[in-house]
Amino acid sequence: MRNRRSHFFLSLCLFACLFAAACGGEKERAPEAQAKDTAGGKKGAPGGAPGPGVAPPMTTPAKVAGGWMRDVPAQGFEGREGFQLDEDGTLHLVNIYTMNGLAWQLNGDQLQFLCNTERYTEPQMSKLALLNVDENSLLAESGDYFTGNYERAQLARVTGSVAYRERIALTEDAVLRVTIRDLEERDRIVGQRLIYHPGQVPIEFSVVYNPGVIDEAHRYEIRAEIVDKERLAFVTSQTYPVITQGGPSKIEVLVRAADKSP
């Protein structure tokens, strides 16, 4: 477990270093080296314009941030899926429950996603080459599942915090899972967020979902559970309505020790 935690934090630190290098690496180079590149027309031109033969990136982090959705590409499955790119670098995967989004950055014309799974918790990077981006569409090509044509989408979220009354500290192995469920359709999940190494309660969360799948006649609720050292430690024991029929979009959730829950 200790090695896995070390690898997890090392990967996150490496991703942060890559982000810093992509955004600020030019400033850290010696002024004389920058001047030499500018004079030679290789790295850039006065005023920050690209030098001869260097195409500017087609977008910026501010322009690509926000929600993007596509039709599910798998045969035999219907629906929409995609991602939310928060401006602070947080990545949310929407209707993709085999993976958990952690962070994102834009490096030139390449989107870089940091994700993990419940089984393989060490972060892995996906690189999406942007082939075309405009106000309403994003075409990406990658060596994994994210290849596709996405459309701009206005996504929604439920935010809040999770806490418990028991005087028990969580370990560094703890994982918080928060889900939004449709109670009228056999508890169908419409949003999910996993938070690794959450620290101590209260733990803040943000679960992004596609409002296009919400039926105003249905009831939805938030459920939370905390797994610690591969054991279910805490779980919600009451209903927390959200979204429809007067349900809030911000909520405080109380969980109880799993062995005390009804």
Side-chain angles (χ1 to χ4, degrees):
M1 288 295 181
R2 187 180 299 274
N3 289 336
R4 285 196 297 173
R5 292 199 301 271
S6 299
H7 290 161
F8 182 89
F9 288 119
L10 180 61
S11 298
L12 286 178
C13 291
L14 177 59
F15 188 75
C17 291
L18 288 172
F19 179 84
C23 296
E26 186 69 12
K27 296 180 180 179
E28 298 175 357
R29 298 169 65 247
E32 59 270 20
Q34 295 184 35
K36 181 178 179 180
D37 290 336
T38 300
K42 295 181 179 180
K43 293 294 183 179
V54 179
M58 66 178 65
T59 189
T60 65
K63 290 181 179 179
V64 79
W68 298 94
M69 297 289 285
R70 66 174 178 182
D71 292 332
V72 175
Q75 292 185 354
F77 292 88
E78 297 182 356
R80 304 275 285 173
E81 65 181 17
F83 44 81
Q84 167 76 27
L85 308 179
D86 286 353
E87 292 188 357
D88 66 359
T90 302
L91 168 66
H92 302 264
L93 301 184
V94 181
N95 203 29
I96 302 176
Y97 302 122
T98 56
M99 291 181 285
N100 183 58
L102 298 172
W104 73 277
Q105 72 171 15
L106 181 66
N107 187 0
D109 283 330
Q110 183 185 85
L111 268 177
Q112 297 177 345
F113 287 176
L114 202 63
C115 305
N116 64 356
T117 68
E118 289 187 79
R119 183 175 181 182
Y120 302 104
T121 59
E122 294 184 10
Q124 301 293 324
M125 184 181 291
S126 293
K127 298 179 180 180
L128 291 69
L130 297 180
L131 305 183
N132 183 62
V133 180
D134 58 35
E135 184 177 352
N136 297 311
S137 64
L138 181 154
L139 179 60
E141 183 178 74
S142 71
D144 53 32
Y145 186 73
F146 293 109
T147 292
N149 195 359
Y150 298 82
E151 298 176 353
R152 175 67 74 178
Q154 295 299 318
L155 302 177
R157 69 181 73 203
V158 173
T159 63
S161 62
V162 173
Y164 53 79
R165 294 195 178 100
E166 287 83 353
R167 299 176 64 84
I168 302 173
L170 298 176
T171 74
E172 293 184 1
D173 293 320
V175 181
L176 168 64
R177 180 206 301 270
V178 184
T179 57
I180 304 173
R181 295 174 181 262
D182 185 341
L183 298 179
E184 313 299 333
E185 292 193 10
R186 299 181 180 179
D187 291 347
R188 179 172 66 94
I189 296 176
V190 299
Q192 177 174 277
R193 185 70 176 171
L194 300 179
I195 301 176
Y196 293 82
H197 318 294
Q200 304 307 317
V201 295
I203 306 166
E204 295 184 353
F205 66 84
S206 178
V207 183
V208 176
Y209 65 93
N210 177 14
V213 304
I214 299 300
D215 187 331
E216 292 296 329
H218 287 196
R219 295 173 301 135
Y220 297 85
E221 73 164 357
I222 278 283
R223 293 184 188 175
E225 61 183 32
I226 300 176
V227 174
D228 200 353
K229 291 187 177 295
E230 301 182 354
R231 179 184 64 86
L232 181 61
F234 296 92
V235 65
T236 46
S237 58
Q238 67 183 72
T239 301
Y240 289 92
V242 291
I243 305 175
T244 60
Q245 302 182 26
S249 59
K250 185 173 184 179
I251 190 168
E252 295 181 357
V253 177
L254 186 66
V255 293
R256 296 180 57 184
D259 56 3
K260 297 181 181 179
S261 298

